[in-house]
Amino acid sequence: MDSIIRTLPPPSSLSPSVVSFLNAKLNTREDLDQAPGLVSELRSQCHALDQSLSDLNTQLRNYLINYASHSDRTGALLRDINSKLGDLQSASCSAASSSDGGSGKVLGEELPALAKEVARVDTVRTYAETALKLDTLVGDIEDAVSSAVKRTLRREPSTKSSEEMRGRAIRTLKLTEDTLRFVAKTYPQWTRLVLAVDHRVDRSLAILRPQAIADHRSLLTSLGWPPPLSTLNSSGTESKQSADVQNPLFTMKGDLKQLYCESFLALCSLQELQRQRKYRQLEGQNREIALHQPLWAIEELVNPISIASQHHFSKWVDKPEYIFALVYKVTRDYVDSMDELLQPLVDEAMLSGYSCREEWISAMVTSLSTYLAKEIFPVYVSQLDEESTSGTQSQARISWLHLIDLMIAFDKRIQSLASHSGILLSLQEDGKLEKLSSFSVFCDRPDWLDLWADIELTDAFDKLKPEIENERSWSMEVHGVAVLSAQEDNKSPAIAGAFHQRLSAVIDRCRSLPSITLRSRFLKLTGPPIIHKFLGSLLFRCQEAEGLTALTDDDALMKVAKSVNAARYFESILNEWCEDIFFLEMGLNQVTQLDTSTDGNDFCSEESSGNGILYEEIKKLEEFRTGWVEKLSVVVLRGFGVCCRDYLKNKKQWQEKGEEGWMVSQSFVGALDYLQGKMSVLEKALNRMDFVGVWRSLAPGLDKLIFNGILMTNAKFSDGGVERLSNDLTVLFGVFGAWCLRPEGFFPKLSEGLKILKMGKKQLQNCLAGGEIWLKENGIRHLTAIESEKVAKNRI
């Protein structure tokens, strides 16, 4: 044994660290028995150190090769500059003994070229330094990402070390992005350098983000997330949270809480970094895509809840109210933790424009909308298709409308939750409101929106049908509706109120749609048909009354007057609606779409924007009303003409004095009585605004009828006849005096014709000789010279 024992070298030849190591490991004789194991351990460590040293040498060699290549190019440029400087020195020496022309050539040609070359060299030097800096940063990123992945693959217990490596990678990524942003702004011509770095960074992010999300999900699982939904109390009370379930975000403590916060912060930092990169890369394009994306960390909270919820949802296809109750319950119970625990982390990550409350609510609503689009609506659509083949759609339509009611109620409660974050939903853009509405399911399925509109329209017609057929709805005046400012006595029948309430209900339901385009589409599919149905019912009653009695009967006049009142009432309502911001937005959206489709047809745009989105319907109501008001005045005028036919034909009466004891001609009394009776009926039946239209339309007709029937004939007027005509017209004017102060102003031809008849002989001669100039000077403005001359010649 002694022959194989090797002697140790003298202690003086060993370093202090080796001596200390041997003293620690070989202190006793028993330690010598463990020497072979110690030798094996030392050899393995030496091998690992040699391998690490070899890797470092390889990496250093690569860096030196890159640096040498840049250094060679820089050295070549510097040698070129030195040679040119030498040429410049020799040129300057020769210029000292030459004329001023040679010096000017050096200063004028060679110095600018030299300055340009120096600037080019400086740019190359900057490019080389920047490229080397970026290469170093990207190398650090790749090393950090590789280290983090290796630790995960080895399943090392030190999660904290993995988070530290990820944090170092994120910090380096931010520094790299700052450098790239500076390069892109200062040196836009270095596109290839930026693209090359972006490519390498994208490869690192493609590894880093999934790994960060996977680690975050593992942490959530260790926290007990998602909470057990089956124990949630679905009683619907909103005053307190369910006592059966504790919020895992509030119950986590110690290292677990610290790890979760660090992981949450890392995801937020990665998202902010990604947003900045997209913002830079989309320079000069639509940046809205990059500015606001759903918060990744909140999505990781919602996704497992969504998956767990679908187990319950599958049982409630026929009871969707339970689905909405569960989603709202979960959303409400955990919304406070978003504000108290997670919002400070988002602020620390400097994610501008993000509210954890809003992101949590929108993510929950999005998960609900996705489930509705995939599982609920297709079932309801298939039910509608099945019932349509059998000819009955009652039950499927009821289920659909019930689902819409649930969605409207759910959105109102959700928006109430969101309002606590300070969001003004009335001033929201469509994109942000869409995330907080379950009706976003219609954004990608306009065919479902059309189907919903058709169901609403059919339901409205079914409810309006008994109202239309009920005669009392046409005789009783509307009640329970605020009096419109445009008419103090609308006198509208109750049927107008029924149509108004039904149309208002349909419009209120479409207010929940999150997009102006969707609201406009829905309103155009439901509003105009209801208004056309109303207008068709009015027209049918008016035509029926006209066909039976030609409107000579007072009851027929009353029926038409009621229809006119209903049209006036509905037209005023639509005009007031079109002044509301809700309708103005849809009108502007319609004009924008029309301008795009008609290639700038200004006429179409102006016509459509006249009264907003319901312009055409308001125009049709106005045309109906004005047309039948004109017809009422024509009927009264026609009846008056029949009654005074004998009065107009009797030409001899104008050469006689009036009947003794009579202020008005006896043959004219019947016509006046008819006129006053019909106008009394219309005044009682019509609203004030349209009654004014009737008598103002009637007065010119009477003026023309009597003027042409008496003054434009060959009747001769004596003094007694003029007095008789004056008395008759005074009574006629008195009928209209109940509605205006100067009724004769609405009978211009009769008034001026009577004025000419009352003139003296000399004035009549001047009238015949003076022409139009004399007429204007004497206030005769509505009669032509020929008419005035004929009236004057009729005077005896």
Side-chain angles (χ1 to χ4, degrees):
M1 288 293 294
D2 295 338
S3 60
I4 61 174
I5 295 176
R6 298 180 181 177
T7 59
L8 292 174
S12 59
S13 63
L14 301 177
S15 64
S17 59
V18 174
V19 173
S20 176
F21 175 79
L22 292 176
N23 290 334
K25 295 294 183 179
L26 303 175
N27 193 18
T28 61
R29 178 174 292 275
E30 289 78 8
D31 291 339
L32 292 178
D33 298 335
Q34 306 295 330
L38 178 61
V39 171
S40 177
E41 181 181 354
L42 289 175
R43 286 178 177 174
S44 62
Q45 289 182 3
C46 290
H47 179 72
L49 291 174
D50 291 339
Q51 185 64 37
S52 176
L53 181 60
S54 176
D55 293 340
L56 290 174
N57 288 330
T58 302
Q59 186 176 3
L60 179 61
R61 184 169 59 254
N62 292 333
Y63 284 148
L64 290 175
I65 291 173
N66 291 333
Y67 179 78
S69 63
H70 296 307
S71 179
D72 291 341
R73 293 177 57 189
T74 305
L77 292 173
L78 291 175
R79 285 193 297 272
D80 188 21
I81 292 173
N82 287 331
S83 64
K84 291 188 176 183
L85 286 175
D87 296 340
L88 177 63
Q89 184 178 8
S90 61
S92 61
C93 293
S94 61
S97 58
S98 64
S99 63
D100 293 339
S103 177
K105 180 179 180 181
V106 171
L107 295 176
E109 297 180 3
E110 296 186 5
L111 281 179
L114 179 61
K116 184 177 180 180
E117 186 66 20
V118 170
R120 188 179 71 84
V121 171
D122 184 68
T123 303
V124 171
R125 179 184 58 80
T126 304
Y127 181 89
E129 293 177 351
T130 304
L132 185 60
K133 178 181 178 181
L134 288 172
D135 183 70
T136 304
L137 290 174
V138 174
D140 292 342
I141 295 170
E142 293 171 345
D143 290 343
V145 171
S146 177
S147 299
V149 171
K150 286 180 180 179
R151 289 178 181 274
T152 304
L153 292 176
R154 293 172 185 170
R155 296 183 178 181
E156 295 185 6
S158 179
T159 310
K160 190 170 183 180
S161 299
S162 179
E163 289 294 335
E164 290 177 356
M165 297 299 295
R166 188 177 297 119
R168 192 183 75 181
I170 292 173
R171 289 190 295 272
T172 311
L173 280 167
K174 288 182 177 180
L175 184 59
T176 305
E177 180 59 27
D178 292 340
T179 306
L180 286 176
R181 193 182 304 113
F182 172 79
V183 170
K185 184 177 181 180
T186 309
Y187 303 101
Q189 68 274 20
W190 296 355
T191 307
R192 294 185 178 180
L193 174 63
V194 175
L195 289 176
V197 176
D198 274 340
H199 178 68
R200 292 179 64 183
V201 171
D202 287 338
R203 286 191 302 178
S204 298
L205 285 175
I207 300 173
L208 187 62
R209 179 189 170 186
Q211 188 60 47
I213 291 177
D215 291 345
H216 191 77
R217 290 174 180 174
S218 299
L219 276 174
L220 285 175
T221 303
S222 62
L223 288 174
W225 191 272
L229 303 180
S230 58
T231 58
L232 280 174
N233 181 13
S234 301
S235 60
T237 57
E238 301 185 15
S239 59
K240 60 181 181 178
Q241 289 187 353
S242 173
D244 300 329
V245 179
Q246 290 183 339
N247 189 342
L249 298 180
F250 279 142
T251 57
M252 60 181 179
K253 297 179 181 179
D255 294 340
L256 193 60
K257 180 177 181 179
Q258 182 180 358
L259 287 175
Y260 175 78
C261 292
E262 290 177 354
S263 180
F264 187 95
L265 190 60
L267 278 183
C268 291
S269 300
L270 272 176
Q271 185 164 1
E272 174 61 16
L273 175 68
Q274 187 73 5
R275 189 183 72 88
Q276 292 178 1
R277 286 172 54 76
K278 290 294 182 182
Y279 190 86
R280 170 179 58 80
Q281 292 170 353
L282 294 176
E283 178 74 32
Q285 303 178 30
N286 183 14
R287 293 178 172 178
E288 295 301 322
I289 303 174
L291 290 181
H292 195 96
Q293 296 291 324
L295 205 57
W296 299 344
I298 299 297
E299 284 187 328
E300 293 305 318
L301 289 173
V302 173
N303 288 338
I305 290 182
S306 177
I307 295 172
S309 300
Q310 291 183 13
H311 172 70
H312 302 279
F313 293 169
S314 60
K315 308 174 188 176
W316 298 335
V317 176
D318 296 330
K319 297 287 185 180
E321 57 269 20
Y322 294 159
I323 296 176
F324 289 97
L326 178 59
V327 173
Y328 177 75
K329 189 75 169 65
V330 175
T331 305
R332 186 198 66 202
D333 286 351
Y334 297 98
V335 72
D336 291 337
S337 59
M338 304 299 149
D339 287 336
E340 298 176 17
L341 179 64
L342 302 184
Q343 186 62 44
L345 299 177
V346 173
D347 297 338
E348 183 179 350
M350 292 185 291
L351 267 173
S352 59
Y354 278 94
S355 165
C356 280
R357 170 184 285 265
E358 179 186 340
E359 293 297 323
W360 164 258
I361 295 174
S362 64
M364 291 295 296
V365 173
T366 300
S367 68
L368 172 64
S369 300
T370 303
Y371 186 81
L372 292 177
K374 290 183 177 180
E375 304 295 337
I376 302 298
F377 273 98
V379 173
Y380 283 28
V381 171
S382 63
Q383 291 176 355
L384 285 172
D385 293 338
E386 292 175 1
E387 292 189 359
S388 63
T389 57
S390 62
T392 59
Q393 299 184 14
S394 57
Q395 187 58 42
R397 285 205 330 246
I398 292 173
S399 300
W400 186 288
L401 294 176
H402 177 58
L403 178 62
I404 296 297
D405 291 337
L406 293 173
M407 293 170 67
I408 292 174
F410 175 79
D411 283 0
K412 289 181 179 179
R413 300 169 78 188
I414 282 295
Q415 290 170 8
S416 177
L417 277 181
S419 64
H420 291 291
S421 64
I423 304 171
L424 300 177
L425 295 176
S426 59
L427 302 177
Q428 282 286 331
E429 298 177 356
D430 282 349
K432 188 167 284 189
L433 187 59
E434 179 182 323
K435 299 191 304 178
L436 300 175
S437 173
S438 60
F439 283 88
S440 59
V441 67
F442 293 110
C443 293
D444 297 327
R445 293 302 301 264
D447 55 324
W448 290 353
L449 181 73
D450 297 347
L451 186 58
W452 173 32
D454 182 68
I455 294 173
E456 290 285 355
L457 191 59
T458 304
D459 182 67
F461 286 162
D462 291 344
K463 293 177 179 177
L464 287 171
K465 185 177 180 180
E467 295 286 345
I468 297 174
E469 295 174 353
N470 185 6
E471 193 61 32
R472 293 190 61 187
S473 299
W474 296 93
S475 58
M476 296 175 58
E477 291 189 3
V478 63
H479 294 291
V481 182
V483 178
L484 299 175
S485 59
Q487 48 187 23
E488 298 176 0
D489 54 344
N490 57 81
K491 298 181 180 179
S492 176
I495 189 65
F499 271 90
H500 170 218
Q501 292 175 0
R502 189 51 49 199
L503 180 60
S504 298
V506 172
I507 292 174
D508 287 341
R509 291 170 75 78
C510 86
R511 290 178 185 270
S512 299
L513 289 168
S515 165
I516 295 176
T517 303
L518 292 179
R519 293 194 289 270
S520 176
R521 183 187 182 101
F522 184 89
L523 182 59
K524 293 297 288 185
L525 290 172
T526 55
I530 294 176
I531 299 172
H532 293 164
K533 181 73 172 179
F534 174 68
L535 194 56
S537 301
L538 298 181
L539 184 61
F540 174 78
R541 290 184 65 84
C542 291
Q543 290 176 342
E544 183 183 37
E546 184 183 28
L548 292 176
T549 65
L551 301 183
T552 57
D553 184 62
D554 288 350
D555 290 338
L557 287 178
M558 294 280 287
K559 185 177 287 188
V560 173
K562 291 283 187 182
S563 297
V564 171
N565 291 342
R568 162 72 70 174
Y569 173 80
F570 222 78
E571 179 188 342
S572 301
I573 286 175
L574 296 183
N575 276 319
E576 288 193 358
W577 281 358
C578 288
E579 295 176 359
D580 187 80
I581 186 64
F582 177 76
F583 292 90
L584 288 175
E585 287 179 341
M586 290 188 289
L588 292 174
N589 183 69
Q590 183 185 21
V591 170
T592 302
Q593 293 179 349
L594 190 63
D595 286 340
T596 304
S597 62
T598 57
D599 294 329
N601 191 332
D602 294 337
F603 174 75
C604 294
S605 299
E606 292 176 4
E607 181 180 352
S608 299
S609 62
N611 278 309
I613 192 171
L614 298 175
Y615 170 78
E616 293 295 334
E617 287 65 42
I618 294 174
K619 185 178 178 181
K620 289 178 181 178
L621 284 169
E622 182 181 3
E623 290 173 353
F624 167 84
R625 180 178 51 79
T626 54
W628 282 95
V629 164
E630 183 68 25
K631 190 167 291 188
L632 288 175
S633 64
V634 169
V635 168
V636 176
L637 178 62
R638 188 188 302 124
F640 179 85
V642 173
C643 292
C644 68
R645 185 178 300 163
D646 294 337
Y647 174 74
L648 297 177
K649 288 182 177 181
N650 189 359
K651 299 178 181 179
K652 293 182 179 181
Q653 63 181 329
W654 308 120
Q655 299 180 24
E656 303 171 355
K657 292 183 179 181
E659 294 92 338
E660 188 174 348
W662 290 83
M663 292 295 295
V664 63
S665 301
Q666 293 185 36
S667 58
F668 195 47
V669 171
L672 291 174
D673 183 63
Y674 170 85
L675 175 64
Q676 195 163 16
K678 294 299 181 183
M679 294 304 290
S680 297
V681 171
L682 292 177
E683 184 177 15
K684 181 180 179 181
L686 270 178
N687 65 84
R688 180 172 56 84
M689 299 291 291
D690 287 314
F691 178 72
V692 171
V694 169
W695 71 257
R696 285 198 174 191
S697 176
L698 179 61
L702 293 174
D703 184 46
K704 184 179 180 181
L705 174 67
I706 299 175
F707 179 79
N708 291 333
I710 297 177
L711 298 182
M712 286 291 99
T713 61
N714 295 324
K716 300 300 180 181
F717 288 85
S718 63
D719 291 343
V722 172
E723 183 180 357
R724 183 173 186 167
L725 178 61
S726 177
N727 292 336
D728 292 346
L729 294 183
T730 300
V731 177
L732 175 63
F733 295 162
V735 174
F736 288 84
W739 311 308
C740 59
L741 295 177
R742 293 183 65 255
E744 61 273 10
F746 294 94
F747 297 84
K749 289 182 176 291
L750 285 176
S751 299
E752 294 178 1
L754 185 61
K755 183 178 181 180
I756 292 175
L757 290 177
K758 289 182 177 181
M759 288 181 180
K761 183 177 181 180
K762 187 175 182 180
Q763 281 184 306
L764 289 175
Q765 292 174 352
N766 294 334
C767 174
L768 295 174
E772 293 184 358
I773 298 177
W774 185 90
L775 293 175
K776 291 182 179 179
E777 290 176 353
N778 287 270
I780 308 300
R781 302 181 181 277
H782 296 88
L783 298 180
T784 64
I786 297 175
E787 290 174 338
S788 300
E789 182 180 353
K790 190 169 185 178
V791 172
K793 287 181 178 180
N794 288 340
R795 183 72 167 90
I796 299 175

